[in-house]
Amino acid sequence: MHRTTLLHEDYWKLRAQATWGNAAAGDDLVALRAENDQLRRALAGRAVIDQARGMMMVLTPCSRGTARDLLVDVSRQCHTKLAEVAEAMVAAWEGKPLPERMQRALRRALRRLYAEDRRCDSPPADEPSR
């Protein structure tokens, strides 16, 4: 409990310094808060992306990397952030309709994935097929 009190007191001292005209400390405090907010948003988005990636792995039996590539592909086609695509995918899993543009982008990404898989599974051109 003593540590908490020290941290709390240090916080108020830093805040008092920023308030009473120490511009450098005030700028540092603002920058640190902005960075902290950005990191919190990134971590929250990461959890949703991981959840959507797991859903893609289940729905289209593929590896973790391929599932992420599918989500990134949809994100690029829709000009939407990856976290927003992941949120839409999770919401669709829960019953909310997936936006039409994301549906089209997902179909194209899946077609490309399956076309690549077929090319990998097919024998080379110089070998006769069985």
Side-chain angles (χ1 to χ4, degrees):
M1 185 139 153
H2 183 64
R3 281 181 144 175
T4 305
T5 306
L6 283 176
L7 288 174
H8 193 65
E9 288 173 8
D10 289 342
Y11 171 77
W12 287 110
K13 285 179 189 175
L14 180 61
R15 188 172 176 149
Q17 287 175 353
T19 305
W20 290 104
N22 188 347
D27 292 343
D28 289 345
L29 184 63
V30 169
L32 286 172
R33 284 189 177 158
E35 183 180 3
N36 193 11
D37 289 341
Q38 181 183 6
L39 290 171
R40 285 177 196 256
R41 282 193 304 272
L43 283 175
R46 170 109 187 184
V48 173
I49 291 168
D50 286 343
Q51 188 176 7
R53 184 183 346 194
M55 290 168 35
M56 295 300 286
M57 290 169 64
V58 168
L59 294 173
T60 61
C62 63
S63 69
R64 181 178 171 92
T66 303
R68 185 180 190 288
D69 291 345
L70 283 170
L71 290 172
V72 168
D73 194 8
V74 171
S75 172
R76 286 184 182 150
Q77 289 182 45
C78 295
H79 305 290
T80 307
K81 291 183 178 181
L82 182 60
E84 292 174 18
V85 170
E87 287 173 9
M89 295 285 184
V90 171
W93 184 269
E94 295 170 349
K96 186 176 178 185
L98 190 64
E100 184 65 33
R101 63 186 163 81
M102 285 188 194
Q103 288 181 23
R104 286 192 304 268
L106 182 59
R107 273 189 227 111
R108 283 191 294 265
L110 288 171
R111 280 189 206 118
R112 244 189 318 273
L113 173 69
Y114 291 135
E116 289 172 7
D117 282 350
R118 274 188 251 130
R119 272 187 261 135
C120 291
D121 293 340
S122 62
D126 59 346
E127 288 183 20
S129 58
R130 297 179 196 167

